[in-house]
Amino acid sequence: MKNWNFNVGPSQLFDSVSGHLSEAINLGYGSISHRSKAFEKIYQHTDEQLKSLLNIPKENSIFFTGSASEIFERIGQNLIENSSHHLVNGSFSAKFYDYIHSLKLNPTKSEKALGEGFSNDEIVVPENADLIALTQNETSTGVMIDEVYIQNIKKQYPDKILAVDMVSSAPICSLDYGYVDTAFFSVQKCFGMPAGLGVWIVNDAVIEKAKKLESAKKTSGAHHTISDFYKNYKTFQTPCTPNVLFIYVLGKIAEEMNKIGVENIRLESIKKSEILDSMIQSNGKLLQHSVEKINERSKTVRVMNVGDNKNILEFLNKKGLEVGAGYGPNKNTQIRVGIFPAVPVEAYERLSQEVLSFGSLG
Amino acid sequence: MKNWNFNVGPSQLFDSVSGHLSEAINLGYGSISHRSKAFEKIYQHTDEQLKSLLNIPKENSIFFTGSASEIFERIGQNLIENSSHHLVNGSFSAKFYDYIHSLKLNPTKSEKALGEGFSNDEIVVPENADLIALTQNETSTGVMIDEVYIQNIKKQYPDKILAVDMVSSAPICSLDYGYVDTAFFSVQKCFGMPAGLGVWIVNDAVIEKAKKLESAKKTSGAHHTISDFYKNYKTFQTPCTPNVLFIYVLGKIAEEMNKIGVENIRLESIKKSEILDSMIQSNGKLLQHSVEKINERSKTVRVMNVGDNKNILEFLNKKGLEVGAGYGPNKNTQIRVGIFPAVPVEAYERLSQEVLSFGSLG
């Protein structure tokens, strides 16, 4: 029986990844310059496929970095004059805040306990904040911020840049880019690829803000600046030599997703969630939802309280099912299951059966 | 007949790269966490193989970034309190200077015309510079700074951090790490790999300097800081999810190089240089060395003045031999040939024959 990896990232690869990598090498893409026509075609294809998949407006730009963490820093270096305000409800939203702080900018935050979201809170953002940052899906706790809530923040603060970390939610959660100025993700989550590429989506307001700060000498750093990215993006080039192979593979994966249809992928994702939720419901002694409010439960990361997680993780591992431990303070008492496109519905059915058979042993 | 890519990077891949990538995916390394034992083993192996290949002292540390350009910025953010002094003799050494300048530090420079090196100059470094930066091999002009000259700089300024950009020289040029505090390269040059990984070597003086500046709140940024890298390096982990697959492949390539022996690879490299140099000598009308002084000519990038390079590049391209154009102001009047390990001696013999047959057409 096939082994399955339910880790929340790096996660199960799509079966097609290996073939796309070999194909890229056979086509000579491992050796091409980022100034070549061949590279421009690869970039353009990936750009088009991602725009179609994520419903990103044509006029937005898509840039590539080494990781999503790198984008935290680029946002701080390029887009913040005075300060940023952060919705912090887990380790990754806290990390975004910390990065901005380390750049000697003066971030502020609205903070929630682990496992809680913001659905009942009206956020108050200080007047001098240039940017509002939030994490659509906290991979550490399995809490999400829903799409309507995100839109409402922008409606309340239309003049501030809204930045959305969608690292483990894209393309399962949709975003309306009429309300989001910049968003980013990495490929080792829902895109089922090996780690090593960050994807950064920006609109014209972001480009303008970065240009304005740069003219006023209020940006810092020269690596992967927004103005350099944008100048090169116009001809589908990059400022420095990028990870060409992974940009190619991402274009292929996005193309495959578009063929299936993003709505179908989202529907399948709901099916997987339902399997997990009924598994939790049918053994409340063994498993409890760690996120209490249903509307704050992530669509892509299900987190459960299990007491000591050692035995259940070992049991599943022996069955060829790899499930993640908790994160940070919940490392030993929770399990985290990724609900990602590369793992099929049948695998969740098997996981559910095995978890329940473990439960019946106790 | 096989096609050959003599570009100075991204360059010809080693034939084994594709197999190593497939193997890594088959072994599940595309999905492993950077906190797993499996990853620690991969990191340790690559670390050991690189230390053996480049004769790096055991007590030094090796970190991985998204690119070598990223390391310019990290050096600025982590190691410079007052200013840095740069030996600038081409586009990449100028880029290093520009990066530091953009961080609002106050770099100074000693500058030479394109095609010239520093072999006759005694460098004077301002007293308040924390760090001296030089580019061992200017990929843009084919000028190198030889190893003894590098040692002499450190002897003259023992208290300053000496940083060496060895992007296109490692592992062909040797460095004595008794004199070099930090050095870095990317894998798409002499290592014959696809782009997407930077390699950063640091000694204990660098770690101490970064710690000192961090305590005094004189560093900037939180991404890939030296202190985070170092803390994680002790157990062969990384601060963020890295490009695991490429770290694995680099370990395998370094292992293969160690089996051949770095001295043998260097000897072969001399043979290739000699083929190119006698090609130049035998048709002085068509080709001239762009670097006049023999002791300043790169061991890995041979640059030639050819007048208008359009016809010769097209001619060679039709023969399946890809050669690079000039860089920057010399884009249309020079050709650049990488002398890299993944391209065998026979390919240089064929290149030489074809260039001379092109010459006889004129």
Side-chain angles (χ1 to χ4, degrees):
Chain A
M1 228 178 316
K2 192 169 170 170
N3 291 358
W4 290 108
N5 181 342
F6 296 90
N7 273 322
V8 296
S11 60
Q12 180 80 38
L13 301 189
F14 277 109
D15 283 341
S16 62
V17 165
S18 187
H20 293 316
L21 276 172
S22 308
E23 189 184 53
I25 287 183
N26 291 339
L27 291 166
Y29 296 158
S31 303
I32 58 173
S33 160
H34 56 299
R35 304 279 169 238
S36 67
K37 287 282 162 221
F39 176 70
E40 290 172 10
K41 269 182 69 174
I42 291 170
Y43 193 156
Q44 185 172 4
H45 178 259
T46 303
D47 179 82
E48 285 167 358
Q49 293 297 329
L50 286 176
K51 282 184 173 168
S52 162
L53 183 71
L54 299 168
N55 201 23
I56 300 168
K58 272 208 179 108
E59 54 275 22
N60 283 23
S61 308
I62 303 180
F63 308 144
F64 299 108
T65 64
S67 67
S69 302
E70 187 191 333
I71 299 169
F72 292 160
E73 186 132 315
R74 301 291 158 246
I75 286 176
Q77 289 176 308
N78 288 273
L79 291 175
I80 301 176
E81 182 174 1
N82 301 304
S83 81
S84 52
H85 188 76
H86 297 253
L87 276 61
V88 174
N89 63 325
S91 302
F92 294 97
S93 44
K95 188 174 170 182
F96 198 167
Y97 172 90
D98 290 341
Y99 265 53
I100 304 303
H101 190 259
S102 76
L103 287 164
K104 299 182 179 66
L105 298 157
N106 298 298
T108 54
K109 57 183 164 181
S110 302
E111 200 161 8
K112 300 298 282 185
L114 296 185
E116 290 180 28
F118 292 89
S119 59
N120 284 344
D121 296 40
E122 192 174 316
I123 296 300
V124 181
V125 177
E127 207 169 314
N128 76 335
D130 301 277
L131 180 143
I132 304 170
L134 63 85
T135 304
Q136 185 177 27
N137 198 63
E138 245 305 345
T139 318
S140 64
T141 63
V143 173
M144 75 162 185
I145 298 178
D146 79 28
E147 295 131 31
V148 175
Y149 189 86
I150 294 174
Q151 291 171 21
N152 286 336
I153 292 181
K154 184 68 184 180
K155 284 177 190 162
Q156 205 187 337
Y157 298 102
D159 297 333
K160 297 186 190 297
I161 298 280
L162 181 58
V164 177
D165 171 344
M166 57 194 305
V167 164
S168 59
S169 58
I172 300 304
C173 299
S174 63
L175 273 183
D176 183 335
Y177 289 89
Y179 297 92
V180 173
D181 297 295
T182 181
F184 53 92
F185 60 92
S186 50
V187 299
Q188 72 272 22
K189 309 283 181 181
C190 294
F191 285 86
M193 279 179 56
L197 192 70
V199 181
W200 191 7
I201 301 149
V202 303
N203 69 9
D204 285 345
V206 166
I207 306 289
E208 287 313 309
K209 176 93 180 178
K211 277 187 191 165
K212 201 184 117 196
L213 293 190
E214 193 172 73
S215 309
K217 299 197 184 303
K218 285 178 174 168
T219 56
S220 96
H223 189 57
H224 283 170
T225 66
I226 289 178
S227 65
D228 267 357
F229 265 133
Y230 184 62
K231 198 167 61 191
N232 283 279
Y233 176 70
K234 289 175 189 165
T235 51
F236 292 112
Q237 295 188 3
T238 55
C240 308
T241 311
N243 189 336
V244 177
L245 248 49
F246 282 24
I247 294 171
Y248 172 83
V249 175
L250 177 59
K252 288 288 172 186
I253 295 289
E255 185 183 335
E256 286 164 6
M257 286 182 163
N258 281 322
K259 276 181 191 150
I260 297 168
V262 73
E263 282 313 324
N264 292 324
I265 296 173
R266 287 172 183 163
L267 284 173
E268 209 178 70
S269 181
I270 293 172
K271 253 191 230 164
K272 297 171 192 171
S273 289
E274 286 169 351
I275 293 167
L276 293 176
D277 290 343
S278 67
M279 168 186 93
I280 296 170
Q281 201 176 13
S282 66
N283 195 334
K285 221 179 104 191
L286 178 67
L287 311 157
Q288 299 92 39
H289 277 290
S290 79
V291 179
E292 276 186 23
K293 294 206 185 82
I294 291 175
N295 65 333
E296 291 180 351
R297 267 177 215 155
S298 165
K299 294 177 181 175
T300 54
V301 174
R302 186 64 77 249
V303 182
M304 293 155 245
N305 296 323
V306 295
D308 186 339
N309 62 16
K310 191 166 170 274
N311 290 341
I312 187 168
L313 290 178
E314 265 179 26
F315 176 88
L316 292 171
N317 202 272
K318 276 186 195 144
K319 304 281 181 181
L321 303 173
E322 206 179 322
V323 165
Y327 195 91
N330 300 313
K331 192 175 166 51
N332 301 318
T333 58
Q334 295 185 341
I335 62 173
R336 291 184 299 160
V337 177
I339 305 166
F340 291 166
V343 183
V345 171
E346 305 78 69
Y348 290 85
E349 282 162 353
R350 205 171 116 211
L351 176 67
S352 171
Q353 284 160 14
E354 294 294 355
V355 167
L356 295 179
S357 84
F358 172 81
S360 68
L361 294 177
Chain B
M1 230 180 312
K2 191 168 172 173
N3 290 357
W4 290 108
N5 182 341
F6 296 91
N7 274 322
V8 296
S11 61
Q12 180 80 39
L13 301 189
F14 276 109
D15 284 341
S16 62
V17 166
S18 187
H20 293 316
L21 275 172
S22 309
E23 188 184 54
I25 287 183
N26 291 338
L27 291 166
Y29 295 158
S31 305
I32 58 173
S33 159
H34 56 300
R35 305 279 168 237
S36 67
K37 286 282 162 224
F39 176 70
E40 290 172 10
K41 268 183 72 176
I42 291 170
Y43 193 156
Q44 184 171 4
H45 178 258
T46 304
D47 180 82
E48 285 167 359
Q49 293 297 329
L50 286 176
K51 282 184 173 169
S52 161
L53 183 71
L54 299 169
N55 201 22
I56 300 168
K58 271 207 179 114
E59 53 275 22
N60 283 24
S61 308
I62 303 180
F63 308 144
F64 299 107
T65 65
S67 66
S69 302
E70 186 191 333
I71 299 167
F72 292 159
E73 185 132 316
R74 302 290 157 247
I75 286 176
Q77 289 176 308
N78 288 273
L79 291 175
I80 302 176
E81 182 173 2
N82 302 303
S83 81
S84 51
H85 187 77
H86 297 253
L87 275 61
V88 174
N89 62 326
S91 302
F92 294 98
S93 45
K95 187 174 172 183
F96 199 167
Y97 171 89
D98 289 341
Y99 264 54
I100 305 304
H101 188 259
S102 75
L103 288 164
K104 300 182 177 68
L105 298 158
N106 299 297
T108 53
K109 57 183 164 181
S110 303
E111 200 161 8
K112 300 298 280 186
L114 297 184
E116 290 180 29
F118 291 89
S119 59
N120 284 344
D121 297 40
E122 193 174 315
I123 297 301
V124 181
V125 177
E127 207 168 312
N128 77 334
D130 302 277
L131 180 142
I132 303 169
L134 63 86
T135 304
Q136 186 177 26
N137 198 64
E138 246 303 345
T139 318
S140 64
T141 62
V143 172
M144 75 162 187
I145 299 177
D146 80 25
E147 295 131 32
V148 175
Y149 190 86
I150 294 173
Q151 291 171 21
N152 286 337
I153 291 181
K154 183 69 184 181
K155 283 178 192 162
Q156 206 187 337
Y157 297 103
D159 297 333
K160 298 186 190 298
I161 299 281
L162 181 59
V164 177
D165 171 343
M166 58 193 307
V167 164
S168 58
S169 59
I172 300 304
C173 299
S174 62
L175 274 184
D176 183 335
Y177 289 88
Y179 297 93
V180 173
D181 297 295
T182 180
F184 53 93
F185 61 91
S186 49
V187 298
Q188 72 271 22
K189 309 283 181 182
C190 294
F191 285 86
M193 279 179 58
L197 192 69
V199 181
W200 190 7
I201 301 148
V202 303
N203 70 8
D204 286 344
V206 166
I207 306 290
E208 287 314 309
K209 175 93 180 178
K211 277 188 191 163
K212 202 185 117 197
L213 293 191
E214 193 172 72
S215 310
K217 300 198 185 300
K218 285 179 173 167
T219 57
S220 97
H223 190 57
H224 283 169
T225 65
I226 289 178
S227 65
D228 267 358
F229 266 133
Y230 184 62
K231 197 167 61 190
N232 283 280
Y233 176 70
K234 288 175 189 166
T235 51
F236 291 112
Q237 294 187 4
T238 56
C240 308
T241 312
N243 189 335
V244 177
L245 247 49
F246 282 23
I247 294 171
Y248 172 82
V249 175
L250 177 60
K252 288 288 171 184
I253 295 289
E255 186 183 335
E256 285 163 7
M257 286 181 163
N258 280 322
K259 275 181 191 150
I260 297 167
V262 73
E263 282 312 325
N264 292 324
I265 296 173
R266 288 172 183 164
L267 284 173
E268 209 179 69
S269 181
I270 293 172
K271 253 192 228 163
K272 297 172 192 170
S273 290
E274 287 169 351
I275 293 168
L276 293 176
D277 289 344
S278 67
M279 168 186 92
I280 297 170
Q281 203 178 11
S282 66
N283 194 336
K285 222 179 103 188
L286 177 67
L287 310 158
Q288 300 92 40
H289 277 289
S290 80
V291 179
E292 276 186 22
K293 293 205 185 84
I294 292 176
N295 65 333
E296 291 181 351
R297 269 178 213 152
S298 166
K299 294 178 181 176
T300 54
V301 174
R302 185 64 76 247
V303 182
M304 294 154 245
N305 296 322
V306 294
D308 186 339
N309 62 17
K310 190 165 170 274
N311 290 341
I312 187 169
L313 290 178
E314 265 179 25
F315 176 89
L316 293 172
N317 202 272
K318 277 185 195 146
K319 304 281 181 183
L321 303 174
E322 206 179 321
V323 165
Y327 195 91
N330 300 312
K331 192 174 166 52
N332 301 317
T333 58
Q334 295 185 340
I335 62 173
R336 291 183 299 160
V337 177
I339 305 166
F340 291 166
V343 182
V345 171
E346 305 78 68
Y348 290 85
E349 282 162 352
R350 204 171 117 213
L351 176 68
S352 170
Q353 283 161 17
E354 294 294 356
V355 167
L356 295 178
S357 84
F358 171 83
S360 68
L361 293 177

